[in-house]
Amino acid sequence: MLGAAMAMARKDLGLALAGAQGLVQTVLLGLLLIFIMSLSREPGEMVPPLAASAVFWLATAFGQVLMFNFLYGLEEAEGARLGLLLSPAPIQAVWLGKALAGLVLLVCCQLVFAPAAVVFLGQRPEGSPALGVLLVVAVDWGICALGSLLGALSVGRSSRESLLTVVLFPLLVPVLLAGIRLLETVLSGRGGETVAAWAGTVGAFDAIFTAAALILFPFLYTGEE
Protein backbone atom coordinates (compact mmCIF):
# COMPACT_ATOMS: atom_id res chain seq x y z
CA MET A 1 0.00 0.00 0.00
CA LEU A 2 2.82 2.40 0.81
CA GLY A 3 4.27 2.21 -2.71
CA ALA A 4 0.89 2.95 -4.29
CA ALA A 5 0.33 5.81 -1.83
CA MET A 6 3.69 7.36 -2.67
CA ALA A 7 2.90 7.09 -6.39
CA MET A 8 -0.44 8.81 -5.78
CA ALA A 9 1.26 11.54 -3.74
CA ARG A 10 3.89 12.14 -6.45
CA LYS A 11 1.20 12.34 -9.13
CA ASP A 12 -0.91 14.82 -7.13
CA LEU A 13 2.09 16.95 -6.17
CA GLY A 14 3.23 17.06 -9.78
CA LEU A 15 -0.17 18.25 -10.96
CA ALA A 16 -0.59 20.71 -8.08
CA LEU A 17 2.86 22.26 -8.52
CA ALA A 18 2.69 22.30 -12.32
CA GLY A 19 -0.45 24.42 -12.38
CA ALA A 20 0.08 25.88 -8.89
CA GLN A 21 -3.67 26.50 -8.77
CA GLY A 22 -4.53 25.01 -5.39
CA LEU A 23 -1.27 26.18 -3.84
CA VAL A 24 -1.60 29.79 -4.96
CA GLN A 25 -5.23 30.05 -3.83
CA THR A 26 -4.35 28.63 -0.42
CA VAL A 27 -1.41 30.97 0.07
CA LEU A 28 -3.39 34.03 -0.99
CA LEU A 29 -6.32 33.18 1.30
CA GLY A 30 -4.01 32.65 4.28
CA LEU A 31 -2.10 35.87 3.65
CA LEU A 32 -5.37 37.76 3.32
CA LEU A 33 -6.56 36.49 6.73
CA ILE A 34 -3.24 37.42 8.35
CA PHE A 35 -3.22 40.88 6.75
CA ILE A 36 -6.81 41.63 7.80
CA MET A 37 -5.97 40.64 11.37
CA SER A 38 -2.94 42.91 11.31
CA LEU A 39 -5.17 45.92 10.59
CA SER A 40 -6.71 45.60 14.06
CA ARG A 41 -3.48 46.56 15.84
CA GLU A 42 -1.88 49.95 16.29
CA PRO A 43 1.48 50.62 14.58
CA GLY A 44 4.20 49.04 16.70
CA GLU A 45 1.74 47.11 18.84
CA MET A 46 2.32 43.36 19.22
CA VAL A 47 -0.67 41.08 18.81
CA PRO A 48 -0.92 38.64 21.77
CA PRO A 49 0.76 35.31 20.94
CA LEU A 50 -2.53 33.46 21.50
CA ALA A 51 -4.29 35.60 18.88
CA ALA A 52 -1.40 35.28 16.44
CA SER A 53 -1.43 31.51 16.88
CA ALA A 54 -5.18 31.40 16.28
CA VAL A 55 -4.83 33.40 13.05
CA PHE A 56 -2.07 31.08 11.82
CA TRP A 57 -4.18 27.97 12.38
CA LEU A 58 -7.32 29.53 10.92
CA ALA A 59 -5.37 30.34 7.77
CA THR A 60 -4.17 26.73 7.74
CA ALA A 61 -7.66 25.27 8.27
CA PHE A 62 -9.34 27.35 5.57
CA GLY A 63 -6.48 26.66 3.19
CA GLN A 64 -6.79 22.94 3.83
CA VAL A 65 -10.38 22.94 2.55
CA LEU A 66 -9.23 24.46 -0.74
CA MET A 67 -6.33 22.01 -0.89
CA PHE A 68 -8.35 18.82 -0.53
CA ASN A 69 -11.14 20.04 -2.79
CA PHE A 70 -8.44 20.54 -5.41
CA LEU A 71 -6.73 17.19 -4.78
CA TYR A 72 -9.96 15.18 -4.94
CA GLY A 73 -11.15 17.14 -7.96
CA LEU A 74 -8.17 15.96 -10.03
CA GLU A 75 -9.72 12.56 -10.78
CA GLU A 76 -13.25 13.93 -11.16
CA ALA A 77 -12.28 16.28 -13.97
CA GLU A 78 -11.23 13.43 -16.29
CA GLY A 79 -13.33 10.63 -14.84
CA ALA A 80 -10.23 8.85 -13.57
CA ARG A 81 -11.74 7.78 -10.25
CA LEU A 82 -13.09 4.58 -11.77
CA GLY A 83 -9.56 3.66 -12.78
CA LEU A 84 -8.41 4.04 -9.17
CA LEU A 85 -11.27 1.87 -7.97
CA LEU A 86 -10.38 -0.86 -10.48
CA SER A 87 -6.65 -0.83 -9.75
CA PRO A 88 -5.20 -3.73 -7.70
CA ALA A 89 -3.82 -1.37 -5.06
CA PRO A 90 -5.74 -1.09 -1.77
CA ILE A 91 -8.21 1.78 -1.91
CA GLN A 92 -6.71 3.12 1.33
CA ALA A 93 -3.66 4.05 -0.76
CA VAL A 94 -5.74 6.84 -2.31
CA TRP A 95 -6.45 8.28 1.14
CA LEU A 96 -2.83 8.00 2.27
CA GLY A 97 -1.43 9.39 -0.98
CA LYS A 98 -3.69 12.41 -0.94
CA ALA A 99 -3.07 12.95 2.78
CA LEU A 100 0.70 12.95 2.17
CA ALA A 101 0.36 15.28 -0.83
CA GLY A 102 -1.87 17.58 1.22
CA LEU A 103 0.66 17.55 4.06
CA VAL A 104 3.50 18.60 1.77
CA LEU A 105 1.43 21.36 0.17
CA LEU A 106 0.15 22.57 3.54
CA VAL A 107 3.68 22.78 4.95
CA CYS A 108 4.72 24.78 1.86
CA CYS A 109 1.88 27.21 2.55
CA GLN A 110 2.83 27.46 6.22
CA LEU A 111 6.37 28.39 5.23
CA VAL A 112 4.75 31.56 3.86
CA PHE A 113 2.18 32.00 6.66
CA ALA A 114 4.75 31.80 9.47
CA PRO A 115 6.99 34.73 8.46
CA ALA A 116 3.91 36.72 7.41
CA ALA A 117 2.41 36.23 10.89
CA VAL A 118 5.68 37.24 12.55
CA VAL A 119 5.99 40.42 10.45
CA PHE A 120 2.36 41.57 10.19
CA LEU A 121 1.33 40.56 13.72
CA GLY A 122 4.49 41.84 15.37
CA GLN A 123 5.64 38.56 16.92
CA ARG A 124 9.00 37.85 18.56
CA PRO A 125 9.19 34.04 18.95
CA GLU A 126 10.96 33.13 22.18
CA GLY A 127 10.49 29.35 22.26
CA SER A 128 12.41 26.57 20.51
CA PRO A 129 12.04 26.71 16.70
CA ALA A 130 12.71 22.97 16.43
CA LEU A 131 9.95 22.22 18.93
CA GLY A 132 7.62 24.55 17.06
CA VAL A 133 8.24 22.80 13.74
CA LEU A 134 7.70 19.37 15.34
CA LEU A 135 4.42 20.42 16.95
CA VAL A 136 3.12 22.11 13.80
CA VAL A 137 3.82 19.04 11.66
CA ALA A 138 2.12 16.79 14.24
CA VAL A 139 -1.00 18.97 14.12
CA ASP A 140 -0.77 19.14 10.33
CA TRP A 141 -0.92 15.37 10.03
CA GLY A 142 -4.16 15.21 12.02
CA ILE A 143 -5.65 17.96 9.85
CA CYS A 144 -4.59 16.22 6.63
CA ALA A 145 -5.64 12.74 7.77
CA LEU A 146 -9.14 14.03 8.52
CA GLY A 147 -9.24 16.27 5.45
CA SER A 148 -8.30 13.42 3.15
CA LEU A 149 -10.91 11.16 4.75
CA LEU A 150 -13.73 13.68 4.45
CA GLY A 151 -12.57 14.78 1.02
CA ALA A 152 -14.06 11.50 -0.21
CA LEU A 153 -17.48 12.78 0.88
CA SER A 154 -17.27 15.65 -1.58
CA VAL A 155 -16.39 13.51 -4.60
CA GLY A 156 -18.85 13.91 -7.46
CA ARG A 157 -20.90 16.66 -5.79
CA SER A 158 -21.23 20.15 -7.24
CA SER A 159 -21.49 21.63 -3.73
CA ARG A 160 -18.38 19.84 -2.45
CA GLU A 161 -16.69 23.01 -1.11
CA SER A 162 -19.55 23.86 1.24
CA LEU A 163 -20.13 20.21 2.18
CA LEU A 164 -16.50 19.64 3.14
CA THR A 165 -16.42 22.86 5.16
CA VAL A 166 -19.61 22.10 7.11
CA VAL A 167 -18.54 18.56 8.01
CA LEU A 168 -14.85 19.21 8.55
CA PHE A 169 -14.60 22.21 10.86
CA PRO A 170 -16.57 20.83 13.84
CA LEU A 171 -14.36 17.73 13.85
CA LEU A 172 -11.19 19.84 13.64
CA VAL A 173 -11.96 21.79 16.83
CA PRO A 174 -9.89 19.61 19.25
CA VAL A 175 -6.73 19.56 17.15
CA LEU A 176 -7.04 23.26 16.26
CA LEU A 177 -7.40 24.21 19.94
CA ALA A 178 -4.36 22.08 20.75
CA GLY A 179 -2.40 23.62 17.88
CA ILE A 180 -3.27 27.15 19.01
CA ARG A 181 -2.16 26.50 22.59
CA LEU A 182 1.02 24.70 21.54
CA LEU A 183 2.06 27.40 19.09
CA GLU A 184 1.32 30.04 21.71
CA THR A 185 3.87 28.42 24.05
CA VAL A 186 6.47 28.53 21.28
CA LEU A 187 5.77 32.18 20.47
CA SER A 188 5.68 33.36 24.09
CA GLY A 189 8.27 31.01 25.55
CA ARG A 190 5.95 30.45 28.53
CA GLY A 191 3.51 27.77 29.58
CA GLY A 192 5.85 24.91 28.74
CA GLU A 193 4.23 22.76 31.42
CA THR A 194 1.08 22.49 29.26
CA VAL A 195 2.92 21.19 26.19
CA ALA A 196 2.71 17.53 27.24
CA ALA A 197 -1.05 17.68 27.84
CA TRP A 198 -1.86 19.38 24.55
CA ALA A 199 0.64 17.23 22.66
CA GLY A 200 -1.19 14.20 24.03
CA THR A 201 -4.42 15.58 22.58
CA VAL A 202 -2.75 15.96 19.18
CA GLY A 203 -1.32 12.44 19.34
CA ALA A 204 -4.69 10.95 20.24
CA PHE A 205 -6.43 12.90 17.45
CA ASP A 206 -3.86 11.77 14.89
CA ALA A 207 -4.13 8.13 15.95
CA ILE A 208 -7.94 8.08 16.05
CA PHE A 209 -8.51 9.63 12.64
CA THR A 210 -5.68 7.72 10.98
CA ALA A 211 -7.26 4.48 12.17
CA ALA A 212 -10.77 5.69 11.27
CA ALA A 213 -9.62 6.62 7.77
CA LEU A 214 -8.10 3.20 7.14
CA ILE A 215 -11.41 1.59 8.07
CA LEU A 216 -13.98 4.04 6.67
CA PHE A 217 -12.33 5.45 3.55
CA PRO A 218 -13.25 2.54 1.23
CA PHE A 219 -16.92 2.97 2.09
CA LEU A 220 -16.86 6.75 1.59
CA TYR A 221 -14.83 6.76 -1.64
CA THR A 222 -16.77 4.00 -3.37
CA GLY A 223 -20.20 5.09 -2.20
CA GLU A 224 -21.01 6.91 -5.45
CA GLU A 225 -20.48 3.85 -7.60
Side-chain angles (χ1 to χ4, degrees):
M1 184 179 78
L2 186 58
M6 295 301 295
M8 171 69 69
R10 286 194 297 270
K11 183 267 294 181
D12 284 355
L13 286 173
L15 292 174
L17 296 177
Q21 300 174 7
L23 192 62
V24 170
Q25 290 177 356
T26 303
V27 169
L28 291 178
L29 176 62
L31 290 178
L32 180 62
L33 288 173
I34 293 171
F35 177 71
I36 291 175
M37 180 63 186
S38 71
L39 297 179
S40 65
R41 70 184 183 104
E42 298 293 334
E45 178 187 5
M46 187 177 74
V47 173
L50 182 62
S53 177
V55 172
F56 174 85
W57 284 114
L58 280 177
T60 296
F62 280 110
Q64 179 233 20
V65 174
L66 294 178
M67 196 71 69
F68 281 103
N69 275 322
F70 171 77
L71 290 175
Y72 274 94
L74 292 175
E75 286 78 24
E76 292 302 303
E78 301 297 333
R81 183 162 66 99
L82 183 59
L84 292 178
L85 295 175
L86 295 176
S87 71
I91 197 63
Q92 289 91 341
V94 177
W95 164 78
L96 182 56
K98 291 190 179 293
L100 292 173
L103 179 64
V104 172
L105 293 173
L106 203 59
V107 169
C108 290
C109 294
Q110 289 174 330
L111 291 176
V112 179
F113 297 162
V118 169
V119 172
F120 287 113
L121 303 180
Q123 298 300 299
R124 300 183 183 89
E126 299 180 9
S128 167
L131 177 62
V133 171
L134 180 63
L135 295 174
V136 167
V137 172
V139 175
D140 283 348
W141 173 249
I143 291 175
C144 290
L146 180 57
S148 187
L149 171 62
L150 295 184
L153 285 174
S154 64
V155 170
R157 294 177 172 86
S158 59
S159 58
R160 61 178 181 267
E161 289 86 358
S162 58
L163 176 63
L164 182 57
T165 302
V166 168
V167 177
L168 179 66
F169 276 94
L171 295 176
L172 280 181
V173 168
V175 76
L176 287 179
L177 286 176
I180 290 170
R181 299 298 301 192
L182 289 170
L183 188 56
E184 180 202 12
T185 64
V186 174
L187 292 175
S188 65
R190 299 187 298 272
E193 65 279 358
T194 66
V195 169
W198 287 110
T201 300
V202 173
F205 187 95
D206 291 359
I208 289 171
F209 281 102
T210 298
L214 292 173
I215 297 171
L216 298 177
F217 184 80
F219 302 101
L220 296 179
Y221 195 65
T222 61
E224 291 289 317
E225 299 299 321

